[in-house]
Amino acid sequence: MSFEELEHTADVLMRVRGADLAELFAEAGRAMFHVMYGPCEDKGVERRIEIEAENLESLLIDYLSELLFVTEVENTVFCTFDVDLRGTRLSAVLRGEPFDPARHSAGALIKGISYFGLEIVKEEEGYVVEIIFDI
Amino acid sequence: MLTGINKIGDLEWEVPIGYVPDMRVPGRFFLSRRLAETLEEGAVRQLANVATLPGIVKHSLAMPDIHWGYGFPIGGVAAFDMTEGVISPGGVGFDINCGVRLITTPLIEADLAGKKRELIERLFDAVPTGVGAKSAMRISNKDLTAVMVDGARWAVERGLGTEADLVRCEGEGAMPGADPGAVSAKARQRGLPQLGTLGAGNHFLEVQAAREIVDPEAAKAFGIAEGQVCFMVHCGSRGLGHQVATDHLRTLEGALPKYGIRLPDRQLACAPIDSPEGRAYYGGMVSAANYAWANRQVIMHEARKVFAHLFGIDYDEMRLIYDVAHNVAKFERHDVDGVSTEVCVHRKGATRAFGPGTPGVPGEYAAVGQPVIIPGSMGTSSYLLHGTTTAMQKTWGSTCHGAGRVLSRSKAKKEIRGKELRERLAGEGILVRAHSDSVLAEEAPDVYKPSGEVVRVVHEAGLSNVVARLDPLGVIKG
């Protein structure tokens, strides 16, 4: 559905919403890449990841941490996140483009995903979570 | 002004037990009234949360650059008993051994006339910066293991610096106790191509002039004189350190039930120091810290080559004053109720500031105390200070690490135009080079507390004393 940046003096705090959990995870990925790189297009780069954790919050952190790892070592910028979520098992197909310093250097390097205040909350119209990215 | 905290001295405040449930010790922080007006309630709560951790000794502390982070507040310092206490990545941060080093040159400002732009451009070419930056160095996995054990020495042994550099680093540029086995394959993969890269965010390489000498005697000992051109490197352990923190935070978080530790914030995940998980984190953290020292050593080497070539000066004429870590946990001996005791001191956005005569301070600085380097924000002054006996007594030999932000990045981007800022700074004689103007807005001087005010507080509180003020001439950013 959406993500928005909230006020935070030191780091980047994002509020992410999704109609269901899979969409929440997809939007969280989009939010993170928005912070890091700004604009991105699907230019045919595709990557699949699979993650399992003991609860949804840990799964979200592991998933975002895996995205950080992949983008850094593979020099790719992702813009679409096709997430399949079964319980606390996730598989996702990521699509995007190669990192291009000329287009992708306006963002902020994220060092890690904080556990602080991270709680996935069910609301009437879906799910919401607030995530602090350490930059 | 916040309620529930007590002013106990001119610049000293106490957060009493009970501010949050389960505090074991009081909190204590150092702040002027002026800075206290910008203090966030969330930062005080984080300071109080740290006081709930098992084995914390005396106080949960924060320096005058305290602000809201995650886990520990930024500017947070805490010591833990080696038997009862814990070690926590939340007390170190994701950028393990983020730190600063300061180097003098034999040049004065006038020597840069007509060459400053070229100097900044050459530095920008020589030191990879920004998101996606990759090093020109090719190192093997075996080399990487050696980097994680030997730190700055690894670089010096390959000709990237001198033996004298090592003496002038905190811990001689490496901590003992590295365990490369506690560094995952993922962390290695991230670290291999990044040695000698600056990174992004608030990291920088800045050319500065020593414009004011406040303490001539200490300045003489540190080898810095008025008018001298210097340069400063601010960066950390890059993706390797971030991955080590991420991996171990996860393990420690999972191990909390095993040790019966209940926390007000999962980011404070921790384990007893002498537990398998605690030892593994320590060994991994040390490996990353040593990588960071090697990283700053390589960057300094590249910058020295640029200066040497452009100005025809000798490599050896560029003297490293000191290199400090400001995100790390260390085993140190301190006075606890009159007894010299080993404790595990966490500093998260705080600088070690050992006083005169303290073991660990280089012999040539022993009479003065350890050099402390406080970087300013882009366009504002940085400071060179020295550690004090008061810091040894009150803050486990610690002081602030920087200015501390007051404006969020989102607001900064709305209120400040990077291009205008670059032009304004150029008008003040400060040349800024980055991959993009938008990163400049987020790091504009206006988003930080005035560095001079933070430094004034640590000086007046006696946590470290000002030796010299350095003003920026040019900076390269990630």
Side-chain angles (χ1 to χ4, degrees):
Chain A
M1 278 209 305
S2 65
F3 58 83
E4 60 179 315
E5 190 170 344
L6 306 178
E7 280 302 307
H8 192 285
T9 37
D11 296 306
V12 172
L13 174 61
M14 293 295 248
R15 180 183 290 149
V16 181
R17 293 177 190 280
D20 54 35
L21 283 167
E23 195 181 67
L24 186 78
F25 276 65
E27 285 299 307
R30 256 182 14 101
M32 195 175 80
F33 278 79
H34 173 78
V35 171
M36 289 188 77
Y37 302 111
C40 166
E41 282 174 52
D42 180 358
K43 290 187 180 168
V45 175
E46 194 176 299
R47 176 77 154 76
R48 177 184 287 274
I49 57 169
E50 292 190 8
I51 318 242
E52 189 171 2
E54 63 279 11
N55 59 55
L56 281 172
E57 276 83 9
S58 294
L59 185 69
L60 181 58
I61 285 186
D62 289 354
Y63 156 73
L64 293 173
S65 299
E66 182 67 14
L67 293 179
L68 278 185
F69 170 74
V70 172
T71 184
E72 187 167 297
V73 300
E74 297 180 13
N75 289 311
T76 46
V77 179
F78 297 111
C79 44
T80 68
F81 304 81
D82 194 353
V83 176
D84 182 25
L85 199 63
R86 293 177 190 191
T88 55
R89 272 177 82 159
L90 170 150
S91 69
V93 178
L94 324 168
R95 293 187 184 86
E97 59 178 313
F99 173 76
D100 172 5
R103 292 177 55 240
H104 297 134
S105 292
L109 191 145
I110 293 175
K111 295 172 185 164
I113 321 298
S114 171
Y115 282 89
F116 181 70
L118 187 128
E119 191 184 353
I120 296 172
V121 178
K122 171 101 176 74
E123 292 187 332
E124 239 172 63
E125 291 181 9
Y127 292 86
V128 63
V129 65
E130 289 180 9
I131 310 167
I132 295 179
F133 297 108
D134 178 11
I135 63 172
Chain B
M1 204 58 189
L2 300 173
T3 54
I5 54 177
N6 307 319
K7 197 164 188 291
I8 56 166
D10 280 349
L11 300 162
E12 219 167 321
W13 308 70
E14 187 169 76
V15 183
I17 290 177
Y19 188 87
V20 303
D22 303 326
M23 285 171 72
R24 296 164 193 262
V25 295
R28 198 163 275 197
F29 61 90
F30 298 82
L31 217 52
S32 62
R33 275 213 174 269
R34 187 178 156 202
L35 290 176
E37 280 162 19
T38 61
L39 180 62
E40 306 135 309
E41 198 273 332
V44 179
R45 205 163 356 103
Q46 288 177 335
L47 177 74
N49 287 344
V50 174
T52 70
L53 294 176
I56 184 165
V57 184
K58 279 189 180 174
H59 301 106
S60 167
L61 296 162
M63 305 299 112
D65 47 348
I66 176 172
H67 61 118
W68 195 49
Y70 50 83
F72 278 45
I74 295 156
V77 175
F80 294 86
D81 183 271
M82 293 298 288
T83 315
E84 306 290 322
V86 291
I87 186 164
S88 170
V92 173
F94 282 101
D95 198 359
I96 296 164
N97 188 8
C98 184
V100 201
R101 63 171 54 192
L102 176 64
I103 303 98
T104 62
T105 75
L107 305 168
I108 57 167
E109 269 190 83
D111 296 328
L112 267 53
K115 283 188 170 175
K116 201 155 76 174
R117 169 62 64 192
E118 189 181 358
L119 171 64
I120 297 302
E121 289 299 328
R122 287 203 190 181
L123 289 170
F124 192 71
D125 290 341
V127 180
T129 65
V131 176
K134 297 279 186 285
S135 172
M137 291 175 83
R138 292 283 166 266
I139 62 167
S140 66
N141 243 316
K142 202 175 150 199
D143 290 331
L144 186 58
T145 304
V147 167
M148 292 191 283
V149 173
D150 297 335
R153 175 168 294 283
W154 179 87
V156 167
E157 283 174 355
R158 274 146 195 83
L160 313 174
T162 66
E163 281 289 327
D165 295 339
L166 298 177
V167 180
R168 298 183 188 127
C169 289
E170 184 174 320
E172 304 198 351
M175 280 169 71
D179 177 7
V183 175
S184 67
K186 280 184 173 173
R188 281 179 171 273
Q189 217 177 323
R190 292 176 76 170
L192 275 171
Q194 291 183 337
L195 192 64
T197 63
L198 197 61
N202 59 359
H203 294 161
F204 63 74
L205 190 167
E206 187 166 274
V207 180
Q208 306 169 335
R211 289 244 174 89
E212 187 186 4
I213 300 295
V214 178
D215 182 340
E217 209 172 305
K220 199 175 165 203
F222 291 169
I224 189 168
E226 194 173 327
Q228 200 166 11
V229 170
C230 303
F231 64 96
M232 186 178 278
V233 178
H234 176 207
C235 66
S237 50
R238 309 284 287 111
L240 182 138
H242 308 168
Q243 191 70 45
V244 166
T246 299
D247 293 342
H248 286 273
L249 189 60
R250 189 75 174 86
T251 311
L252 291 163
E253 202 254 342
L256 289 171
K258 180 173 161 189
Y259 298 108
I261 299 171
R262 287 182 50 206
L263 298 173
D265 169 9
R266 287 161 77 204
Q267 190 71 32
L268 288 173
C270 55
I273 295 165
D274 193 17
S275 64
E277 295 84 357
R279 282 194 302 270
Y281 170 63
Y282 181 76
M285 179 206 65
V286 170
S287 305
N290 292 345
Y291 179 96
W293 269 303
N295 194 35
R296 290 196 287 275
Q297 181 70 30
V298 173
I299 290 171
M300 174 180 74
H301 171 74
E302 292 301 327
R304 274 175 170 166
K305 282 201 302 186
V306 168
F307 272 97
H309 187 251
L310 194 57
F311 297 100
I313 55 177
D314 279 351
Y315 186 98
D316 291 344
E317 288 181 280
M318 288 168 276
R319 180 178 180 277
L320 174 62
I321 293 184
Y322 207 55
D323 178 304
V324 291
H326 54 223
N327 278 3
V328 81
K330 294 179 128 182
F331 302 152
E332 295 172 356
R333 292 202 83 82
H334 287 276
D335 181 331
V336 179
D337 302 326
V339 182
S340 171
T341 310
E342 190 177 44
V343 287
C344 178
V345 181
H346 292 60
R347 296 188 182 92
K348 185 190 188 187
T351 312
R352 200 186 76 171
F354 278 3
T358 308
V361 177
E364 60 189 325
Y365 302 150
V368 181
Q370 175 206 311
V372 170
I373 305 156
I374 308 299
S377 53
M378 190 170 51
T380 64
S381 303
S382 296
Y383 293 85
L384 176 65
L385 303 90
H386 69 78
T388 62
T389 307
T390 304
M392 300 310 294
Q393 292 161 348
K394 288 192 171 180
T395 56
W396 310 113
S398 310
T399 188
C400 65
H401 87 305
R405 291 183 76 95
V406 286
L407 193 65
S408 72
R409 285 161 213 268
S410 52
K411 264 196 186 150
K413 275 189 280 190
K414 272 180 214 146
E415 293 177 13
I416 301 162
R417 296 251 163 271
K419 183 166 174 280
E420 284 167 23
L421 173 67
R422 182 163 49 75
E423 288 165 357
R424 190 184 91 201
L425 290 172
E428 294 170 21
I430 305 164
L431 301 181
V432 182
R433 185 70 166 89
H435 286 290
S436 137
D437 280 340
S438 78
V439 302
L440 302 183
E442 294 180 31
E443 295 297 325
D446 321 69
V447 310
Y448 287 93
K449 291 178 193 175
S451 54
E453 176 70 1
V454 173
V455 167
R456 186 184 72 78
V457 175
V458 293
H459 182 83
E460 288 182 9
L463 301 180
S464 41
N465 292 139
V466 182
V467 175
R469 192 192 83 229
L470 300 123
D471 291 340
L473 302 174
V475 57
I476 69 166
K477 300 280 301 175

